[in-house]
Amino acid sequence: MRSTHSDAEQKRADMAAYKPRVISLSKKPSQTFGFFLRLEQGEEGHLIRSLEMGGPAELAGMKDGDRIIRVNGTFVDGLSHSEVVELVKSSGASVTFHILDESTYKQAKAKGVNLSEPQNKANVVANGVAKGEQKPKLCYLVKSASGFEFSLFSSNDEQGLFMTEVSPGGVAYKAGVRAKDRLLEVNGENVEDCTHEQVVAKIKQAGNAIVFLLFDDNADKVCRSQYAKVGSRSATVKHLPHKPRLANLTKGPEGYGFMLREEPQQAGHFIKDIDRDSPAERAGLKEMDRLVAVDGKEVDNYSHEQVVEMFRQSGGECCLLVVDKETDQMYQLGKVSPIIFMEEMKDSNSPPSYTEVMNTATPAQPEEEEEDLKPKFCRMEKTPDGYGFHLNGIQGVFGQFIKEVVKGGAAERAGLEDDDMVVEVNGVNVEKSSHHEVVEMIRRSGNSLEMLVARKSVYEKLKAKGVVITRMLLGEEPKSEKPTAESPETSKKEIERPESPAEPERQRTPSVSSSSSAESIDERL
């Protein structure tokens, strides 16, 4: 009996030590889950390989070499490759995996641990965000002829007021309000301890527009279980219809090209007198935009002289967060600073919407009636005048784009154009790299540079379709551009050749849809 008891305890200890991670992935119909499933000679299990950077699998935390133990609850460690592939494909747009990392899997196999036995519930990660770690949400409602199109109810079982009768397609629904959302604030004022009648009175007094801070049903339960207190500063702003804008400026010969003014009877610092074709105009600044932050620092409590000094100390490049009048009024109504827009971008697990960033950072470009949805591969040789382009980036935001391509320069001859989005530098994906990191990669490339780029409109359309942008979309091996005589004209921001040695190119795993190799079998999922 003692031996049996000891064996049972050891078994439970082994199971606890080899508890798998649970990852739920979702994708669009035209998208993949972003990894290859492989069987490899000399390796046990169903392996995760060739993760696509920024794909659902990579964002959710899958790693190269991870083993899939279960698919939608079905134990698959003993199934054939084709059976597991079919289980995943038949899941449609969402699938849940139980996964062990490579070393844990091998240890479990070496000890003879029975991985098929049921596990205790694990923390589920869905496309990179642990379920239950959601934020409260800010929602902006503008009354229609039918009102705000929701009702409030209270429950004897739970403290607080909750949303109900949210009309599908109505004002509240379009603003992000959902049934069972718990109401935390009305126009920046906490109402958690207010009665039903008091809150109704506040909503009626608000007039035609109102900002709610809400917790959805799942997030609310997590918050209550942790006895957490939240406010609008921690909220997501993704539902708000009016967006602050980020503008990245590089100082020109005549400065930034705008005046910073304080207006009578208006709090804040305002953009005025924007020069035509200046860095300010090209960055998308508008007359009477209110300046919220410079290089991530809020300026509301700074004097005019202090803000001007911040520009002087920026070294010729700065990132501005601004709001137009309509956006400013919406945030003021909710008594929350637009700086949380930038903070949410920094904290995001995935790159911000390039559609949103590029529409504000650069002038709109006319779309062609038909467009070939392919990236461009540009190979260029450095000349005494440099490569002949300006790399633009926004501090705290993923994504780099090309500006001020020198006419007749190496970049133009290689096919680079203004507003091209940079996808790869020397074979390395840089969509999630900072501006500084990309600049350093270019500097270390020596006298030749390879870039995979996409026109702004092409990039946005491919991302909207869920397509991962790689050289494979070109359909053939890109050809090199032959260097010719270089124009003496230089760009405003040349990327100089450094003294340091060239950075070695990252090795990339070839991506194919399937393989009939005797050594391995793989399938793109």
Side-chain angles (χ1 to χ4, degrees), residues 1 26 43 62 84 86 144 175 209 213 238 263 289 291 321 363 367-368 380 425 432 492 501 510 515:
M1 289 293 292
S26 298
E43 295 283 354
M62 281 189 175
V84 180
E86 186 56 36
S144 70
L213 180 68
K238 66 181 181 181
E263 294 296 307
D289 277 345
L291 180 62
L321 180 69
E367 288 192 9
E368 299 176 2
M380 60 203 87
V425 173
K432 294 178 67 176
K492 290 185 179 179
S515 170

Side-chain angles (χ1 to χ4, degrees), residues 187 211 267 290 327-336 338:
N187 287 345
V211 174
R290 184 173 72 84
T327 306
D328 201 15
Q329 288 175 341
M330 179 188 69
Y331 273 89
Q332 287 186 28
L333 185 63
K335 295 183 176 61
V336 61

Side-chain angles (χ1 to χ4, degrees), residues 4 48 181 480:
T4 303
I48 303 296
D181 284 351
S480 172

Side-chain angles (χ1 to χ4, degrees), residues 244-248 283 319-321 341-342 345 360-361 394-395 397:
R245 306 195 315 280
L246 285 161
N248 197 58
C319 176
L320 309 185
L321 180 69
F341 171 82
M342 177 178 281
M345 281 186 162
T360 59
I394 298 175
Q395 284 192 356
V397 179

Side-chain angles (χ1 to χ4, degrees), residues 330-402:
M330 179 188 69
Y331 273 89
Q332 287 186 28
L333 185 63
K335 295 183 176 61
V336 61
S337 170
I339 195 72
I340 67 173
F341 171 82
M342 177 178 281
E343 290 171 351
E344 184 168 15
M345 281 186 162
K346 289 180 180 179
D347 293 340
S348 175
N349 285 319
S350 59
S353 164
Y354 281 105
T355 303
E356 186 172 85
V357 174
M358 295 305 296
N359 281 347
T360 59
T362 59
Q365 299 292 323
E367 288 192 9
E368 299 176 2
E369 292 185 4
E370 291 185 5
E371 193 165 27
D372 189 14
L373 296 183
K374 288 185 178 181
K376 298 183 292 184
F377 180 81
C378 302
R379 182 179 293 147
M380 60 203 87
E381 299 293 328
K382 193 172 185 180
T383 72
D385 295 313
Y387 290 118
F389 70 89
H390 183 183
L391 183 72
N392 264 26
I394 298 175
Q395 284 192 356
V397 179
F398 296 131
Q400 315 299 321
F401 53 97
I402 303 297

Side-chain angles (χ1 to χ4, degrees), residues 108-119:
K109 285 293 186 179
K111 289 188 175 184
V113 175
N114 185 0
L115 298 174
S116 67
E117 291 199 1
Q119 296 283 336

Side-chain angles (χ1 to χ4, degrees), residues 473-485:
L473 296 180
L474 298 170
E476 59 181 7
E477 184 66 19
K479 297 178 181 179
S480 172
E481 291 288 335
K482 296 293 184 181
T484 58

